[in-house]
Every structure is written in structure tokens, then in C-alpha cells.
Amino acid sequence: MKVIDHINQAKDTLISFEILPPLKGKGISAIYNHLDPLMEFKPAFINVTYHRSETMFKKQADGTFNKIEVRKRPGTVGICAAIMQHYNVDPVPHLICGGFTKEETENALIDLAFLGIDNVLVLRGDAAKNETFFEPEPGGNRYAIDLLKQVMDLNHGIYLEEEVKDPGKATFCIGVAGYPEKHFEAPNKATDIAYLKAKVDAGAEYVVTQMFFDNQKYFEFVQNCRMAGIQVPIIPGLKPITNKKQMTILPRIFNVDLPDQLATEIMKCKTDVEVEQVGTAWLLQQSRELKKAGVPVLHYYTLGKPKVIWNVVKELV
């Protein structure tokens, strides 16, 4: 079932989760152990992130170094199939530009269509660790809107090979990312929203936001989007703070601010256990306010902290 159909048919705010594929070498049980406690909340869908490969240099016997590509968290497509079979819940695989040619992307989309997966979230993705700025794979998509247009082409039966006879049409529901505090590369919020509007006009059916810790920034973002003509559902993305390191890591990596009150309370904590308690209480407060405001979905970035998310959502249902 498509995400947009879940939203349109819902009578109340839905719950959804986002997970990471396990590190290479771990089995599917790592996913089940992560998700099992959360399934009592009947999530409408579960997002599964995609991670680009990393370049590493392996020393050879002769002393020289060989450049190799390593994907530390493979398995997104397989995990999505497992989630559908094991839980009967709709998965939403992420698709990224970085590290993939258009041909590889098309083949992944074909696999997803064969599996009966109805949804994708399209993202540009991060720059490689050895790059200052994002560079696409040779023959790949440079921007999220390019990737989106490739998915839309497949929905219209347009393949990279013009010789495909009697091409079947895919039926993907496409989601995109939104940034209440602006994407770090955008010159200003208005430009950032204009980029988002272009993706919606190109076929995106819903938006999932970057994490934020001040609900007012989400509400202002939604208002600005509506004023710009973006009418699709805008799903708030939520993440708990669980340790003091995140006070510097999250603003630096994700370009988000921590409200003064939250930062002050965290600074008072002497241990990460105390930080997690503060973060849990803050996330619950956010969730209650957002649900009261009638948001379509509360989307939780679980990212290794399912117990924290469980403690929050149990107070909402």
C-alpha cells in the first residue's frame, strides 16, 4: 500500500519508523530484534536507509595500497522484502544518488517493483568521506530531483534502454526530504523551499522532514511550504537525544539547532543515562504537541534506540 494512501485513509495521526541496515556480517535477526518491540504500535510503514559505499585503501604484500570500495551497511532491498514478509508492513526503501549509476538505480527499482514494494524515498545523499562537496557517480544522478525524475520515468514506462518492448509501468509513490532549518547547502530558506516545490511539481507525493527539536520551526516550515504552493503531506521526522556528544554532533552534521531549554537541561546531566531521560521527555513533549496539531504521521528515526522510541510512543497510543 502506498504511503499517500495510508495518510489519506487515516482517521488519526499515524506512526512510522526508520531503521538502519545492520553492519555487514550481521543477520536479519538484528532487524527483527530492533523492530519486534515497536510492532505493537502498528506502524503504517517502515523506512530503510541506503548507504553509499566507502573508499578504502588496503595495503598489499608488496607495500603498495589497493583502492577498494566497501559498503558497510548493504541489504536495503532484502531488508524491505523481509519486513513485508515478516511483519506485513509496508517498507519504504531509501534511494540515493551517491555511488550509483542510473543503470544500477533502474535495476534496483525493477527489483523493488518485482517484490511488490510500492514506495521509495529519494535523496541525493551525503558526499563521500573523502569529498568536500558531493560528486555523483559517473553516469549517475547529481540531484534528488534527477533521481525522482528517473523514478517517474519508470512510472510512465520509460526505461533507459529505448529498445525495451512493451514496457511495463511501475507504480511507485515517491517521498522526498524537507528541511525545516534549511539544507546546509541552500543559500536561504526561500531557495530551499523552491527546490522542494520543484520536486513536488515533478511528482513527489509527500515530504519527510529532517529532524528538528523545536516544533515551531516545523510549523513555520509547513506554513512557508503552503504559501509556496506545496500542498502534499509534510511528515515531521523526530529523533531522541541520548548522549552529550550529540549536542555538538547534530548541529554540525545535520545543521539543526537545539532549543535553549533543551541544551540547558542536558548540560545539567552528569551521565548519558540522565541525558537519555531528558531526551525522552523532550521527544514525548514534541510528539504530543505535533499530534495535537494533527500532523499526518509521527516518523521516528530509531537508529539504534528502539527502547527510547518505545517509551515515547507508548504514552501516545
Side-chain angles (χ1 to χ4, degrees), residues 241-251 258 262-276 278:
I241 289 185
T242 56
N243 61 71
K244 276 194 175 182
K245 290 181 180 178
Q246 290 174 306
M247 288 187 68
T248 54
I249 291 173
L250 295 179
L258 271 62
L262 176 59
T264 299
E265 291 301 314
I266 292 173
M267 290 301 294
K268 293 178 184 177
C269 296
K270 293 181 172 58
T271 67
D272 283 344
V273 172
E274 294 177 357
V275 174
E276 186 171 298
V278 170

Side-chain angles (χ1 to χ4, degrees), residues 61-207:
D62 62 0
T64 61
F65 288 85
N66 186 31
K67 182 179 177 181
I68 59 173
E69 296 288 325
V70 176
R71 195 177 299 278
K72 291 186 176 180
R73 293 184 181 272
T76 295
V77 173
I79 290 167
C80 287
I83 286 172
M84 265 201 322
Q85 181 182 38
H86 192 74
Y87 296 115
N88 194 30
V89 172
D90 288 305
V92 182
H94 290 194
L95 292 178
I96 60 174
C97 297
F100 295 89
T101 65
K102 292 179 182 179
E103 287 77 12
E104 290 169 333
T105 296
E106 182 172 271
N107 289 336
L109 288 166
I110 290 170
D111 286 343
L112 293 171
F114 284 157
L115 289 167
I117 293 171
D118 296 322
N119 306 284
V120 291
L121 185 77
V122 301
L123 308 158
R124 189 199 68 178
D126 299 325
K129 289 185 177 181
N130 61 328
E131 295 174 349
T132 304
F133 301 102
F134 177 85
E135 288 293 335
E137 193 76 7
N141 292 300
R142 177 173 289 276
Y143 299 111
I145 192 169
D146 301 325
L147 178 54
L148 187 153
K149 288 177 179 178
Q150 183 176 2
V151 181
M152 287 299 298
D153 278 348
L154 215 61
N155 281 352
H156 292 128
I158 301 171
Y159 291 72
L160 295 174
E161 297 178 30
E162 296 180 0
E163 295 79 11
V164 173
K165 295 181 179 180
D166 300 320
K169 296 180 180 180
T171 57
F172 292 111
C173 172
I174 306 170
V176 293
Y179 299 86
E181 298 177 64
K182 184 182 80 64
H183 190 279
F184 74 98
E185 292 178 358
N188 53 58
K189 289 184 178 181
T191 303
D192 201 30
I193 288 177
Y195 291 148
L196 180 58
K197 174 71 161 50
K199 288 186 280 189
V200 171
D201 290 346
E205 295 187 69
Y206 68 96
V207 176

Side-chain angles (χ1 to χ4, degrees), residues 3 33 57 91 158 202 240 287 315:
V3 167
N33 292 338
F57 291 89
I158 301 171
S287 300
E315 300 295 333

